[in-house]
């Protein structure tokens, strides 16, 4: 069982627990962006945080839970270098037990012929630091730092 939500968070951070679904992800992202930990960021930094969290959470919804609802816990903690993020779910293990590398888009390919998928993890890797994945106790744990100096 995932930990209960702590709407106030600790040390200026935020901890949310919700069921993975497209609507819940959208609502939770709005709640995260309104929290003190993210509300005070510059518009560019908030945009980056929103983009990365949306991609990670949509991957959990679409792939870890295969479109079925399941619990997701997100913890955001401000640190000197940025925002430390931890996303925990009880969905399927990552293929091969590791994070996908992701593929950079081929900018020479016409948009209508680009393959579906594979770009999200490349984007996540390029916008975060210290990206890590571990499967423990039936849970997936993805952690990363969203640097504020990028």
């Amino acid at each position: 069982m995932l930990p209960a939500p702590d709407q106030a968070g600790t040390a200026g951070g935020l901890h949310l627990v919700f069921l993975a679904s497209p609507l819940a992800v959208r609502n939770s992202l709005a709640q995260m962006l309104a929290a003190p930990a993210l509300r005070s960021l510059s518009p560019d930094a908030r945009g980056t945080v929103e983009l990365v969290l949306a991609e990670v959470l949509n991957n959990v919804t679409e792939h870890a839970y295969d479109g079925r609802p399941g619990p997701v816990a997100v913890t955001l903690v401000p640190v000197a270098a940025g925002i430390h993020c931890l996303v925990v779910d009880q969905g399927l293990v990552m293929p091969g037990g590791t994070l996908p590398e992701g593929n950079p888009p081929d900018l020479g390919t016409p948009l209508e012929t680009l393959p579906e998928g594979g770009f999200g993890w490349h984007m996540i890797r390029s916008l975060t630091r210290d990206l890590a994945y571990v499967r423990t106790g039936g849970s997936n744990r993805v952690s990363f730092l969203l640097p504020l100096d990028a």
Side-chain angles (χ1 to χ4, degrees):
M1 187 68 154
L2 296 174
D6 172 7
Q7 301 296 331
T10 59
L14 177 71
H15 180 74
L16 291 176
V17 177
F18 54 94
L19 287 179
S21 75
L23 181 59
V25 166
R26 191 168 35 252
N27 291 340
S28 295
L29 278 170
Q31 194 172 354
M32 289 177 224
L33 291 168
L38 303 183
R39 186 176 51 224
S40 62
L41 299 178
S42 73
D44 285 346
R46 282 172 49 92
T48 298
V49 168
E50 182 176 19
L51 187 62
V52 170
L53 287 171
E55 185 64 29
V56 170
L57 294 172
N58 285 328
N59 281 336
V60 169
T61 299
E62 293 175 24
H63 303 292
Y65 287 118
D66 198 23
R68 297 178 316 274
V72 181
V74 177
T75 304
L76 306 174
V77 178
V79 295
I83 305 292
H84 182 266
C85 304
L86 173 64
V87 178
V88 180
D89 69 76
Q90 296 171 337
L92 300 171
V93 66
M94 288 275 189
T98 62
L99 291 172
E101 286 299 317
N103 303 311
D106 180 356
L107 300 178
T109 302
L111 184 60
E112 61 275 0
T113 63
L114 282 173
E116 174 66 26
F119 306 123
W121 282 106
H122 173 73
M123 180 197 64
I124 292 166
R125 288 179 181 282
S126 69
L127 294 174
T128 65
R129 283 195 242 150
D130 305 327
L131 180 63
Y133 167 76
V134 64
R135 175 77 175 190
T136 182
S139 293
N140 297 306
R141 298 173 63 87
V142 176
S143 63
F144 51 92
L145 176 70
L146 287 158
L148 298 182
D149 59 1

